[in-house]
């Protein structure tokens, strides 16, 4: 009949997302391939403006609200409680307010009574980098050490000096896709460099698709100070493994507790995100370089990281092998990290694997420690 059965009820797939977005389209295509009706789409704009949300007889995928300027503005407006100006193209603006708006919007979705494939608390915990890092560390998942909260450039430099760290990654507390991230190295008060996709322009900051290097302290300090009011998370620089002269990390999508889809991201800068002009690497080559024992240990770590978000069907885990493959650590866990076009496991893409898990009766599991 092309329906999903939940107990004695017949439920229908639904998606909270941005109509026309490729994520929504790919999930709908996966449902169709599985013989299910097209999911009903609830636009984020409607959730934010009218409160229209899925109901009790719907099985709900909550998709990313990103890539829509109006939705971004509405989230910031909801989170701040005051009118929000539109952001310029790529502008990094009001990330803490957007996060607060997302929290409110997810509450509305949950109140509709649908069965959610991603628990709001899990989405929020993954999106808030300090919270995510703390959860992983408490569960014994390997993560780079982090500094106590810093509130601007001067407190960042003071905290680095107190910890004895000369190289760190500075991340916006609520950022994504490397937006606002700086790989910062300090060899002394006047010897500071930062590699980042942030572009300074007329007192505003933008996420640019070209990674650049700053070596003047004034510019670096201005970027950090402009990011700081929305919150910062600072981790010790983790030296990544490399192959063929390119540093690398992995995006591993864990579905229903199982690491399934893997993409190797390679680059010549510390930022390996593919949208920044980087390239996919060869999974088999990385697996061979790491060795099977280290590879399997890394996959177990990804599963344990995802298990810390037990009410969520899928999570995108960013995993780093250390230089010379000595060990590994988790950089981030992504609530919306399943967009891996063309990557198949058991002949299914990430969306098809999620639909298959639902049809197999997936339900949340307790957190692994």
């Amino acid at each position: 009949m092309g329906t999903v059965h939940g107990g004695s009820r017949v439920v229908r797939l639904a998606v909270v997302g941005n109509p026309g977005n490729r994520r929504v389209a790919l999930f709908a295509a996966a449902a169709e391939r599985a013989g299910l009706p097209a999911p009903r789409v609830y636009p984020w704009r409607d959730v934010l403006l009218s409160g229209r949300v899925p109901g009790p007889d719907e099985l709900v995928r909550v998709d990313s609200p990103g890539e829509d300027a109006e939705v971004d503005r509405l989230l910031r407006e909801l989170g701040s409680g005051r009118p929000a100006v539109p952001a310029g193209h790529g502008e990094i603006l009001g990330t803490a307010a957007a996060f607060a708006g997302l929290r409110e919007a997810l509450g509305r979705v949950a109140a509709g009574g649908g069965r959610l494939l991603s628990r709001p608390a899990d989405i929020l915990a993954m999106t808030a980098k300090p919270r995510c890092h703390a959860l992983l560390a408490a569960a014994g998942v390997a993560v780079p050490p982090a500094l106590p909260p810093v509130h601007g450039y001067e407190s960042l430099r003071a905290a680095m000096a107190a910890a004895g760290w000369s190289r760190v990654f500075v991340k916006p507390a609520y950022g994504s896709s490397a937006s606002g991230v700086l790989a910062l190295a300090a060899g002394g008060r006047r010897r500071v460099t930062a590699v980042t996709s942030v572009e300074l322009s007329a007192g505003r900051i933008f996420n640019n698709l070209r990674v650049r290097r700053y070596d003047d302290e004034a510019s670096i300090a201005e970027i950090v100070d402009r990011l700081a009011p929305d919150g910062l998370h600072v981790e010790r620089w983790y030296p990544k493994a490399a192959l063929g002269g390119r540093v690398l990390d992995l995006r591993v999508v864990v579905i229903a507790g199982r690491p399934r889809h893997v993409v190797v991201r390679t680059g010549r800068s510390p930022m390996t995100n593919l949208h920044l002009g980087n390239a996919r690497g060869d999974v088999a080559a990385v697996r061979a370089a790491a060795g099977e024992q280290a590879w399997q240990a890394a996959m177990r770590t990804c599963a344990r990281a995802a298990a810390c978000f037990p009410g969520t069907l899928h999570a995108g885990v960013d995993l780093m092998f250390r230089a010379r493959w000595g060990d590994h650590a988790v950089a981030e866990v992504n609530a919306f990290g399943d967009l891996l076009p063309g990557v198949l496991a058991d002949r299914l893409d990430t969306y098809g694997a999620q639909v298959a898990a639902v049809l197999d009766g997936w339900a949340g599991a307790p957190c692994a420690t």
Side-chain angles (χ1 to χ4, degrees), residues 65 95 98-100 102 106 120-132 172-176 309 332-336:
T95 55
F99 178 78
L102 177 64
L106 289 172
D122 288 346
I123 294 174
L124 294 169
M126 284 186 259
T127 303
K129 287 183 173 60
R131 172 67 174 153
C132 184
Y174 309 109
S176 63
F309 307 96
E332 296 182 12
V333 184
N334 304 270
F336 309 117

Side-chain angles (χ1 to χ4, degrees), residues 17-18 21 23 44 63-69 71-72 75 176 336:
N18 292 324
N21 187 278
R23 298 171 182 270
W44 273 111
D63 222 325
S64 172
E67 302 180 41
D68 187 298
V71 168
D72 170 70
L75 284 171
S176 63
F336 309 117

Side-chain angles (χ1 to χ4, degrees), residues 285-295 321 325:
V286 172
R287 187 168 182 166
E292 193 60 22
Q293 184 175 353
W295 179 269
F321 282 105
W325 313 98

Side-chain angles (χ1 to χ4, degrees), residues 20-227:
N21 187 278
R22 55 184 173 164
R23 298 171 182 270
V24 174
L26 287 167
F27 185 71
E32 181 180 356
R33 288 194 300 271
L36 299 175
R40 182 177 290 120
V41 178
Y42 291 82
W44 273 111
R45 189 175 185 277
D46 289 357
V47 173
L48 295 167
L49 289 176
S50 68
R52 177 175 173 262
V53 298
D57 292 327
E58 293 179 289
L59 191 60
V60 186
R61 171 183 168 86
V62 178
D63 222 325
S64 172
E67 302 180 41
D68 187 298
E70 177 67 2
V71 168
D72 170 70
R73 185 189 67 79
L74 291 170
L75 284 171
R76 288 186 283 113
E77 195 164 279
L78 179 63
S80 66
R82 57 181 183 271
V85 299
H89 181 69
E91 186 173 10
I92 303 170
L93 181 67
T95 55
F99 178 78
L102 177 64
R103 181 172 57 233
E104 175 66 25
L106 289 172
R108 295 178 184 179
V109 173
R115 178 184 161 203
L116 306 186
L117 298 180
S118 296
R119 188 172 67 174
D122 288 346
I123 294 174
L124 294 169
M126 284 186 259
T127 303
K129 287 183 173 60
R131 172 67 174 153
C132 184
H133 184 277
L135 280 173
L136 295 173
V141 175
V143 289
L147 290 178
V150 300
H151 309 290
Y153 182 73
E154 290 300 325
S155 67
L156 168 65
R157 291 300 305 275
M160 289 174 64
W165 297 355
S166 61
R167 304 177 80 189
V168 296
F169 270 82
V170 182
K171 304 178 179 181
Y174 309 109
S176 63
S177 303
S179 177
V181 174
L182 296 90
L184 188 146
R189 186 63 188 174
R190 297 300 174 191
R191 292 186 288 121
V192 186
T193 62
V195 178
T196 180
S197 61
V198 174
E199 179 183 2
L200 273 171
S201 179
R204 299 158 73 188
I205 52 175
F206 296 83
N207 187 42
N208 193 297
L209 296 182
R210 183 174 68 84
V211 176
R212 64 199 62 215
R213 177 189 175 99
Y214 291 91
D215 56 13
D216 62 300
E217 189 174 29
S219 294
I220 296 168
E222 182 177 355
I223 292 170
V224 173
D225 286 340
R226 289 191 177 279
L227 293 168

